[in-house]
Structure formats: structure tokens, C-alpha cells
Amino acid sequence: VQLQASGGGLVQAGGSLRLSCVASGATLSNNVIGWYRQAPGKQRELVADINNGGTTTYADSVKGRFTISEDNAKRQVYLQMNNLKPEDTAVYYCNYRGRNLFLTEEYEYWGLGTQVTVSS
């Protein structure tokens, strides 16, 4: 599995960005795809994810501002980020995890990060 992320950049506070991640390769069972971020000196944290049933999870800090969605046919996941704040500045990573066909093994994959910088 390979994950290709794009859409990062520099934006002023209050602005918007849209991140995209395209998955290629094997499709996992019971899969979840989403976004994590890591700011300098901090641990990587979940931003938002969506499972193969369409259930979404958001970090409290982004609820109401970020929206995750997916296009299953294109195997793409999007993160629409509105009302961005300086504290959203981080490297954002696409993450894909799930199990093999027989649900006996777990797999997790990471894409290369994309930088999001929000200026005040």
C-alpha cells in the first residue's frame, strides 16, 4: 500500500486548506483511513479518520472546523480544513490501517507528510 498526500501550504489564520490522500495497492478489510499531525516538539496525534462504514472520528480541537470525506471509487480521502488557527501548524500525515482478508493480521501504513503552516 502506498499513500500519496497533497494540499498542504501556508495560509493565514481564518483561512482554509484541503488535503488529499490517494491510496494505491491492496485494500484492507475493516479499514480506517485518516489524518494525523505532528507539530514540532509534540507527539503525533489523530486529527480525523473515517472507517469503511463511513463512521468519522475527530479530535476535539478540530471539531466544527475540519471535515473528513472519502471517494471510495477513487480511493481518496480528503480533509477540508476551515477557520485554520496557528496551533493547527504541523506536518499532516495520511494513515491507512486494517486487517487482511481473514482478519488475522493488522497492517498500518503512513504517507509522507505534508506541511501545513498557519500564520497569525
Side-chain angles (χ1 to χ4, degrees), residues 18-24 27 31 33-35 50-52 54 56 67-79 96:
R18 189 191 195 210
L19 304 184
S20 298
C21 177
V22 180
S24 60
T27 298
N31 61 72
I33 190 166
W35 296 91
I50 183 168
N51 68 16
N52 59 335
T56 57
T67 302
I68 189 168
S69 60
E70 64 178 345
D71 183 331
N72 286 321
K74 296 181 179 180
R75 298 191 69 190
Q76 281 191 293
V77 64
Y78 308 98
L79 185 68
Y96 179 61

Side-chain angles (χ1 to χ4, degrees), residues 14-83:
S16 298
L17 284 173
R18 189 191 195 210
L19 304 184
S20 298
C21 177
V22 180
S24 60
T27 298
L28 300 176
S29 299
N30 294 356
N31 61 72
V32 181
I33 190 166
W35 296 91
Y36 285 69
R37 67 186 180 188
Q38 187 166 20
K42 294 188 177 181
Q43 289 189 330
R44 192 173 296 189
E45 63 175 1
L46 173 69
V47 177
D49 65 25
I50 183 168
N51 68 16
N52 59 335
T55 300
T56 57
T57 301
Y58 292 93
D60 288 342
S61 59
V62 307
K63 285 180 181 177
R65 300 188 297 123
F66 291 10
T67 302
I68 189 168
S69 60
E70 64 178 345
D71 183 331
N72 286 321
K74 296 181 179 180
R75 298 191 69 190
Q76 281 191 293
V77 64
Y78 308 98
L79 185 68
Q80 178 66 43
M81 304 185 293
N82 297 328
N83 190 21

Side-chain angles (χ1 to χ4, degrees), residues 70-112:
E70 64 178 345
D71 183 331
N72 286 321
K74 296 181 179 180
R75 298 191 69 190
Q76 281 191 293
V77 64
Y78 308 98
L79 185 68
Q80 178 66 43
M81 304 185 293
N82 297 328
N83 190 21
L84 282 159
K85 303 177 180 180
E87 51 264 41
D88 295 317
T89 295
V91 178
Y92 284 68
Y93 297 91
C94 186
N95 172 271
Y96 179 61
R97 60 190 187 275
R99 291 180 176 268
N100 63 349
L101 181 63
F102 301 104
L103 307 183
T104 55
E105 295 184 31
E106 293 185 351
Y107 297 88
E108 185 173 35
Y109 300 91
W110 294 92
L112 296 177

